[in-house]
């Protein structure tokens, strides 16, 4: 388990391109590890889900979009070599631009789009509560909608989740460690969440 004092950062790249399928996460990870194989050797690495807009052709990458990887600081120099690279993801050409490091800061309310776990919501909440207790984290939970990432070959399911009333140390611990599995596909990664309404 990653300690709350481990040196974890977000490495943020400018990204541009066309559209991606809803379950782009699998092919994005495959391409990232093709370009930087060391990513696949570290279980702590996560890919923060892209913010995209729906269109008739798929999920549209907006202008000024960012691709953010959460990883140990020691990998930053190696992974920063992705800057200015072209990627082929799900029949779309994506262009990465410059990159910068973004320190992870504590916030009292955090959100993850998809946390893996039990199919039943009550069982899922029990699993999350047990995992947080094992980490020594105290927080209030709000379970959102159930989501599935499926591309015909691989399927991941879980719920969106908000944790609130976190103290600074617990907030950092959750962001460094995450919850559930499949961080590489954007699952269980927590980011600041400022408004608790309309959970997705």
């Amino acid at each position: 388990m990653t300690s709350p004092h481990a040196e974890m950062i977000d490495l943020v790249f400018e990204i541009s391109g066309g559209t991606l399928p809803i379950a782009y996460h699998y092919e994005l990870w495959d391409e990232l590890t093709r370009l930087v194989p060391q990513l696949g050797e570290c279980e702590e690495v996560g890919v923060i889900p892209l913010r995209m807009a729906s269109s008739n052709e798929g999920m549209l990458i907006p202008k000024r979009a960012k691709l953010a990887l959460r990883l140990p600081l020691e990998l930053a120099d190696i992974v920063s070599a992705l800057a200015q690279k072209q990627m082929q993801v799900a029949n779309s050409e994506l262009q990465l631009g410059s990159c910068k490091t973004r320190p992870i800061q504590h916030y009292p309310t955090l959100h993850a789009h998809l946390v893996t776990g039990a199919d039943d919501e009550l069982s899922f909440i029990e699993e999350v509560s047990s995992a947080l207790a094992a980490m020594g984290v105290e927080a209030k939970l709000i379970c959102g909608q159930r989501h599935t990432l499926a591309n015909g070959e691989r399927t991941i399911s879980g719920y969106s989740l908000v944790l609130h009333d976190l103290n600074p140390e617990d907030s950092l611990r959750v962001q460094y460690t995450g919850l559930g599995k499949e961080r590489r596909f954007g699952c269980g990664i927590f980011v600041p969440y400022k408004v608790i309404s309309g959970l997705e």
Side-chain angles (χ1 to χ4, degrees):
M1 181 183 298
T2 305
S3 78
H5 304 294
E7 292 188 277
M8 296 283 288
I9 59 161
D10 289 345
L11 194 61
V12 184
F13 297 85
E14 296 177 347
I15 185 171
S16 59
T19 59
L20 291 172
I22 293 176
Y24 67 88
H25 312 70
Y26 302 108
E27 292 181 68
L28 175 59
W29 178 252
D30 289 344
E31 181 71 349
L32 288 171
T33 53
R34 183 186 71 82
L35 294 170
V36 183
Q38 293 91 334
L39 284 171
E41 300 170 3
C42 180
E43 293 184 357
E44 295 171 301
V45 173
V47 181
I48 296 176
L50 292 167
R51 293 183 179 180
M52 297 191 290
S54 299
S55 72
N56 292 333
E57 299 177 354
M59 302 300 290
L60 181 65
I61 298 176
K63 294 181 179 179
R64 296 184 294 279
K66 307 293 183 186
L67 171 65
L69 306 180
R70 184 159 294 173
L71 42 75
L73 179 59
E74 63 192 31
L75 286 179
D77 286 345
I78 296 171
V79 180
S80 64
L82 285 169
Q84 312 302 332
K85 296 283 189 182
Q86 279 194 335
M87 300 195 302
Q88 188 74 29
V89 179
N91 299 320
S92 291
E93 285 193 2
L94 307 181
Q95 177 66 51
L96 295 180
S98 61
C99 76
K100 64 179 181 179
T101 58
R102 181 175 65 194
I104 298 173
Q105 300 180 357
H106 59 81
Y107 293 87
T109 304
L110 301 173
H111 172 253
H113 179 68
L114 191 161
V115 176
T116 61
D119 293 339
D120 174 71
E121 183 175 334
L122 290 178
S123 298
F124 171 79
I125 292 174
E126 289 178 358
E127 288 181 359
V128 169
S129 297
S130 296
L132 291 173
M135 294 164 59
V137 170
E138 294 185 4
K140 295 179 181 178
L141 315 179
I142 300 177
C143 185
Q145 296 179 7
R146 185 163 177 79
H147 295 280
T148 298
L149 296 178
N151 68 349
E153 298 178 2
R154 293 175 281 191
T155 300
I156 297 172
S157 297
Y159 290 89
S160 62
L161 184 67
V162 168
L163 304 179
H164 62 106
D165 289 355
L166 289 157
N167 66 40
E169 184 175 343
D170 286 352
S171 177
L172 291 177
R173 182 179 285 114
V174 168
Q175 291 180 83
Y176 292 164
T177 307
L179 284 174
K181 301 178 180 179
E182 308 294 6
R183 219 85 69 234
R184 56 189 174 161
F185 301 132
C187 303
I189 303 175
F190 286 83
V191 295
Y193 197 64
K194 298 180 180 178
V195 179
I196 303 178
S197 63
L199 294 186
E200 297 180 352

